[in-house]
Amino acid sequence: MAVREQTGTSRLQRKLDQHGFTRRDFLKYCGCLAGMMGLSSLAAPQIAEALEIGAEEGGLKPVIWLEGGSCTGCTEALTQGTTPDIPQLVLETIALNYSETLSAAAGHSLEQARRETIEAGGYLVVYEGAVPTAYDGNILLVAGEKGTDILLETAKGAEAVIALGSCACDGGWMAARPDDAQAMGVQRFLSEQGVDVPVVNIPCCPANPEWLTAVIVEYVLNGTLPELNDRNEPAALFNQTVHDNCPRRGHFENGEFVYEFGSEEEAKGYCLYPLGCKGPQTYAPCPITRWNRSLSWCVEAGAPCAGCAVINPMNPQGNWVDENTPFLDRHKDFAVGPISFQPTTVAAGLTVLVVAVLGVHCAGMKLAGRMDGGADFEAERRWDARHDKPAAHEAAARAQQLYDDLDELGLELKNTGAHRKRDAAGRKKATAVEVAAKAQGRAASDNAGASAAPAEDAAADLADLLVRPTDEPEGGDK
Amino acid sequence: MAHLAHYREAHPLPMVITHWVNLIAMIVLILSGLEIHYPLVPGVMGIARGLHMFFAFVLVVNCVVRIVLAFVAKSAPAGGTRRLVRDYKTWLPQRDNKHQLWAWISYYLFLRREHPIAAKLGVPQKIVYLLIAPLIFFTAYTGFCLWGPTMGWPIFTWGTQLVGGAMNMRVIHYFCMWVFIIFMCIHVYLSLVEGASPATLIFFWKETPGLVYDPDTMNITGFDGMGKEPDYGETFKDPVRAAADAAAVAEREAAREGAE
């Protein structure tokens, strides 16, 4: 009871009052927090109470907010320009001990605050921006100290490091080609340096302050970090795609698309998929939490998702910029040196090339006379001919004899089903009777032991048995 | 003169059916996949995605069925023969076409004049067809990495992480489609360029006359006219069929003479 009276006029409550937030707003926010933490919204009052007690006692958990190679956009998102919202007030009140951008103090006194917090231990680090490592880390100096050293020093004693924004997760913009700063994310940097501290990645450009507050509050209240997925992101937040929860999804399923900005379809709020929306492969809860006091977000405001939540923490080259540009194309560009191209260009180009080669090949087949049944068979496989196998030679001799016989009969074996017979070349049409007679002749000669005899002998036998068909038209007709 | 008789034993009926299923599934998958890549035709995205998933399962199941058939069914080890062996043997290196990779390549590059005597499948053909099965499974895997209901399964998130994210997976899946397209161009071209017999056999199970191959001596031994032309040489026909074919040929001859 005493506690409740106390919370009624807590410091946090007074601060909220000053900014025009009612207690109802605050409790609603605590309900949202509960949702993000995977708790029932019934936990909202308990969260509110815990936050207020923490605020009264002067910070539940000290937070050191470091700036790396950043544009300060994530801090900017937190402060929402001129109108701070509840997450910021909560965060400021409960914890923020050091922030280069937000702290009233500056210079030595601020650095002093950081050192004291590190010495006291039991703090969290929020790291904003990439870790630029070029020139042995000298590319980023803060207060005369290398940015990489500050991160190492601060992270070593921390209970956890929250990498805030895609740059902190894997280098982001900073690591995009050509990556002169040799930037990388916090997780990769710390693991390379052998610092064993849990890293929570909260991607997006900038990161949504509500996600940050949710993670910090969960840690403060439960003493545990949220369950992480394989990219070290809070699983409850980052395991579904933007596409899964998109308000334009119905238009996608209906096949109603915007193909051009400024079109009638755009006015109707159709799906932005053909304009290169990266929502289907971007894991982020943007459509749920939304932005700027849950007012709106990119796709709702009419811009295709640029996929800024795509991170590859251990591979800075997989940063969301290189993975998703050009933003208005369906696929990312591939780059070979200075040349970049779309996968479709390569694939379709290769296919056209193959078809062209086949066209040329087809002309070659026509010229070579192979289109109608293919070229003549070799009498014997080359391998067999070369390796001198008697059985193969024998079979080859028989096959050759067969071809000669068929040729003589004018049977041209073409692949047209009709099996035309040559007579234009002065060869006589083969009749069934003749063929049968010849076949019998072959069988007879085989039975006589010709199978072992050389092919020439068999041919000689046949010559005796048959009148050469080519002679007949000349003699017979005249 | 390299035209072999095309017997049904080369492609038994189950294989004709799996070939049809492959053809239809691949065509539908390619068309619906292109629509999913970029919705050129408005209004059919839902249909395209439904078809794409349905035929993806059809193609995978068909591929599994075909592999099982290889061990269950029998087919001819070479063109021009009705001899049957366990189908999988026609996919392994065969006595009939050992040492023939270069023979085939040089034939198609016009470096040699004569058509190689080979087994049912030429060596490059056999290798490419064998690669199609893994390609089907691989493409299906990359597809499941992108499909909403399965993309979160650990086995698929593992692959997605391995290739560096869903965008890369999407591009890989897309490239797989083009591999199928290129394969189909070459496959259709090579199977038709020397005549329609292979196509009429695999699609309509229609036999066409040609040279007869003896798997024992591994060479050509005769000509089977299939009742349209007189047979010649050794055709390994049973007497009943031989007599029927001869009668059919005689009838044709008589009809032709009558007409003249």
Side-chain angles (χ1 to χ4, degrees):
Chain A
M1 197 67 187
V3 171
R4 290 199 184 281
E5 274 167 23
Q6 193 186 9
T7 55
T9 54
S10 71
R11 241 170 47 187
L12 179 57
Q13 186 63 56
R14 282 200 301 279
K15 207 163 181 174
L16 291 166
D17 285 343
Q18 281 161 14
H19 283 88
F21 294 111
T22 64
R23 180 150 185 89
R24 188 184 179 80
D25 294 331
F26 178 59
L27 279 170
K28 264 163 74 179
Y29 169 70
C30 290
C32 291
L33 268 183
M36 280 196 265
M37 289 160 61
L39 301 173
S40 153
S41 55
L42 294 174
Q46 279 84 355
I47 292 175
E49 198 176 310
L51 288 177
E52 286 169 322
I53 295 169
E56 207 59 35
E57 287 164 1
L60 282 174
K61 185 63 75 180
V63 172
I64 296 178
W65 185 301
L66 293 177
E67 298 284 344
S70 86
C71 66
T72 336
C74 294
T75 308
E76 201 69 38
L78 176 72
T79 57
Q80 313 268 333
T82 54
T83 51
D85 62 357
I86 301 174
Q88 188 207 343
L89 296 174
V90 168
L91 192 62
E92 268 188 13
T93 313
I94 62 168
L96 210 54
N97 273 18
Y98 172 93
S99 165
E100 287 150 17
T101 317
L102 298 179
S103 297
H108 290 300
S109 56
L110 184 60
E111 291 303 314
Q112 186 61 31
R114 179 169 68 88
R115 260 175 237 118
E116 278 168 11
T117 310
I118 293 173
E119 273 161 30
Y123 59 95
L124 293 175
V125 174
V126 174
Y127 189 90
E128 178 186 354
V131 187
T133 59
Y135 309 113
D136 196 26
N138 279 302
I139 196 164
L140 174 73
L141 293 176
V142 179
E145 226 181 312
K146 282 197 276 191
T148 47
D149 289 345
I150 296 176
L151 173 58
L152 275 179
E153 181 193 14
T154 316
K156 269 176 189 159
E159 290 183 2
V161 178
I162 298 169
L164 185 67
S166 292
C167 291
C169 294
D170 68 354
W173 279 108
M174 287 282 287
R177 283 192 297 269
D179 189 18
D180 289 331
Q182 294 162 27
M184 60 175 71
V186 173
Q187 190 185 333
R188 160 105 182 241
F189 178 75
L190 291 182
S191 91
E192 273 180 9
Q193 300 295 324
V195 177
D196 187 25
V197 58
V199 176
V200 180
N201 288 319
I202 302 181
C204 266
C205 186
N208 194 323
E210 296 203 30
W211 307 333
L212 172 68
T213 324
V215 170
I216 292 181
V217 169
E218 174 158 0
Y219 187 71
V220 161
L221 295 187
N222 292 351
T224 54
L225 288 171
E227 189 199 333
L228 302 179
N229 63 18
D230 48 15
R231 296 179 299 276
N232 269 26
E233 300 161 328
L237 294 175
F238 291 93
N239 269 8
Q240 288 184 20
T241 63
V242 168
H243 191 57
D244 289 337
N245 297 304
C246 184
R248 298 188 191 228
R249 179 64 186 262
H251 292 302
F252 174 84
E253 298 295 341
N254 289 352
E256 296 163 338
F257 297 104
V258 182
Y259 293 93
E260 211 182 334
F261 288 117
S263 61
E264 196 187 325
E265 287 80 15
E266 193 196 6
K268 287 177 180 164
Y270 284 177
C271 173
L272 300 162
Y273 188 76
L275 289 172
C277 180
K278 305 296 189 292
Q281 57 265 17
T282 304
Y283 290 83
C286 303
I288 311 253
T289 48
R290 309 204 286 182
W291 291 73
N292 301 328
R293 298 194 197 176
S294 302
L295 190 67
S296 183
W297 62 290
C298 310
V299 171
E300 210 172 330
C305 172
C308 70
V310 169
I311 54 165
N312 286 289
M314 298 311 278
N315 173 26
Q317 273 64 55
N319 66 78
W320 73 273
V321 182
D322 285 342
E323 284 298 296
N324 290 323
T325 45
F327 292 145
L328 298 185
D329 279 335
R330 288 285 312 119
H331 281 155
K332 74 171 183 182
D333 269 356
F334 280 93
V336 176
I339 309 161
S340 54
F341 42 81
Q342 281 276 289
T344 304
T345 316
V346 191
L350 191 62
T351 306
V352 168
L353 185 71
V354 166
V355 171
V357 166
L358 291 181
V360 172
H361 193 264
C362 187
M365 292 294 269
K366 181 79 185 165
L367 284 175
R370 293 180 183 176
M371 298 224 1
D372 212 7
D376 288 355
F377 273 129
E378 55 191 355
E380 184 173 356
R381 287 177 180 77
R382 281 193 179 178
W383 177 269
D384 294 339
R386 216 176 287 151
H387 289 76
D388 204 26
K389 294 182 176 172
H393 292 337
E394 208 174 290
R398 281 199 297 272
Q400 190 55 57
Q401 183 60 50
L402 175 81
Y403 299 143
D404 291 345
D405 291 355
L406 290 169
D407 237 11
E408 224 169 281
L409 288 168
L411 269 174
E412 194 189 11
L413 305 175
K414 288 298 186 186
N415 192 13
T416 50
H419 291 269
R420 291 191 313 271
K421 295 163 192 169
R422 277 184 290 192
D423 43 7
R427 287 170 195 264
K428 181 179 164 284
K429 277 188 181 181
T431 66
V433 181
E434 239 177 313
V435 171
K438 185 150 187 183
Q440 275 168 7
R442 288 284 302 140
S445 67
D446 281 356
N447 290 342
S451 61
E456 297 92 80
D457 291 357
D461 289 350
L462 278 158
D464 294 343
L465 277 162
L466 281 162
V467 186
R468 284 187 73 79
T470 41
D471 300 340
E472 228 176 317
E474 288 164 14
D477 287 350
K478 283 173 188 172
Chain B
M1 212 205 275
H3 182 56
L4 286 172
H6 282 70
Y7 292 128
R8 286 176 173 177
E9 280 75 2
H11 301 302
L13 193 56
M15 279 65 155
V16 170
I17 293 169
T18 54
H19 185 263
W20 266 112
V21 174
N22 270 339
L23 173 73
I24 293 166
M26 283 186 192
I27 298 280
V28 174
L29 282 166
I30 288 169
L31 293 178
S32 60
L34 283 170
E35 170 74 11
I36 293 167
H37 168 63
Y38 189 90
L40 271 181
V41 185
V44 295
M45 179 57 92
I47 296 166
R49 297 183 75 224
L51 286 174
H52 200 73
M53 286 322 301
F54 177 75
F55 279 99
F57 284 110
V58 168
L59 189 63
V60 169
V61 169
N62 193 54
C63 190
V64 172
V65 167
R66 181 63 185 81
I67 290 170
V68 171
L69 274 178
F71 294 92
V72 174
K74 286 181 165 185
S75 69
T81 180
R82 292 193 190 272
R83 182 87 60 87
L84 288 172
V85 297
R86 221 30 101 186
D87 182 63
Y88 76 89
K89 288 183 180 162
T90 68
W91 294 97
L92 302 174
Q94 289 168 265
R95 223 157 55 90
D96 312 75
N97 66 357
K98 264 183 191 168
H99 319 295
Q100 279 197 321
L101 180 61
W102 177 244
W104 277 106
I105 294 172
S106 56
Y107 172 69
Y108 282 123
L109 292 179
F110 302 103
L111 297 176
R112 60 180 284 166
R113 284 181 187 284
E114 291 172 322
H115 201 287
I117 319 169
K120 181 167 67 189
L121 303 172
V123 180
Q125 192 182 15
K126 194 183 282 193
I127 292 170
V128 171
Y129 290 3
L130 281 174
L131 288 176
I132 289 297
L135 182 64
I136 287 173
F137 292 129
F138 177 73
T139 310
Y141 176 83
T142 59
F144 285 123
C145 290
L146 298 168
W147 188 43
T150 51
M151 72 202 300
W153 295 12
I155 184 175
F156 298 122
T157 51
W158 173 82
T160 307
Q161 284 297 106
L162 191 73
V163 302
M167 173 57 85
N168 289 342
M169 193 56 94
R170 196 161 277 260
V171 174
I172 290 168
H173 189 67
Y174 182 71
F175 275 149
C176 287
M177 173 191 73
W178 286 97
V179 174
F180 277 113
I181 292 175
I182 290 173
F183 162 75
M184 285 166 92
C185 290
I186 299 173
H187 177 60
V188 169
Y189 168 74
L190 285 180
S191 57
L192 288 178
V193 69
E194 293 186 352
S197 291
T200 55
L201 178 62
I202 194 70
F203 285 122
F204 308 115
W205 216 32
K206 187 171 169 291
E207 298 192 332
T208 43
L211 294 170
V212 175
Y213 178 87
D214 176 10
D216 291 331
T217 62
M218 299 203 301
N219 213 322
I220 309 298
T221 57
F223 171 70
D224 183 355
M226 292 188 186
K228 292 176 185 162
E229 303 286 342
D231 292 349
Y232 188 79
E234 177 56 82
T235 56
F236 304 104
K237 277 182 190 177
D238 60 75
V240 179
R241 193 193 285 258
D245 284 354
V249 171
E251 205 173 296
R252 275 167 173 260
E253 289 281 332
R256 199 184 298 159
E257 270 164 27
E260 277 168 10

